[in-house]
Amino acid sequence: LNCRAEGRPHPVIEWYRNGERVEIGQDVTQSHRALLPLGSLFFLQLNQGRKGKSDEGIYTCVARNRLGYVKSRNASLYVASLREEFRQQPSNVVAALGEQAEMQCLPPRGHPEPTVTWKKNGAPLNEKDERYRITVD
């Protein structure tokens, strides 16, 4: 997240997440965040979902010196993710000619929520073809 401020005396940069000061370790081996020389907040590894450990939130940069302070506008950070395993894998179906066949699939959990695309022989199904009906539960 970028932040840059100038002033005399030179301002100190502080970061806030959801209104609370972000603790940034001096030793990058002790923290997954670092404050870059010009004031940007750098994440070595983003955390998501664990209570109190998530990096998602609304960030504000504050530049402060002995004469006062100035706040940046808010910046929202969302951590995108996709789990590796499908919750339900499609399985083979055998059906007689003219009968209906149903195939089910539940994608992995993710943020944003993943979408499912069905393919036949490597090509996307034509959803306008009346022989196919794709539903989302």
Side-chain angles (χ1 to χ4, degrees), residues 55-89:
D55 289 314
E56 288 188 336
I58 298 171
Y59 286 81
T60 308
C61 173
V62 174
R64 184 183 313 272
N65 67 16
R66 64 180 170 82
L67 300 175
Y69 71 94
V70 64
K71 275 169 83 168
S72 71
R73 66 179 180 189
N74 291 340
S76 296
L77 176 64
Y78 300 99
V79 180
S81 66
L82 182 63
R83 301 241 173 149
E84 293 182 23
E85 297 295 322
F86 274 74
R87 291 178 280 167
Q88 181 179 358
Q89 293 274 1

Side-chain angles (χ1 to χ4, degrees), residues 33-50:
R33 295 180 286 249
L35 185 63
L36 299 181
L38 294 178
S40 295
L41 182 60
F42 181 77
F43 295 85
L44 300 167
Q45 179 179 345
L46 289 169
N47 293 326
Q48 179 194 32
R50 287 176 263 147

Side-chain angles (χ1 to χ4, degrees), residues 2 28 39 59 66 79 91 117:
N2 291 319
V28 292
Y59 286 81
R66 64 180 170 82
V79 180
S91 57
T117 302

Side-chain angles (χ1 to χ4, degrees), residues 118-125 132:
W118 285 94
K119 294 183 178 184
K120 179 181 176 186
N121 298 327
L125 282 182
Y132 304 113

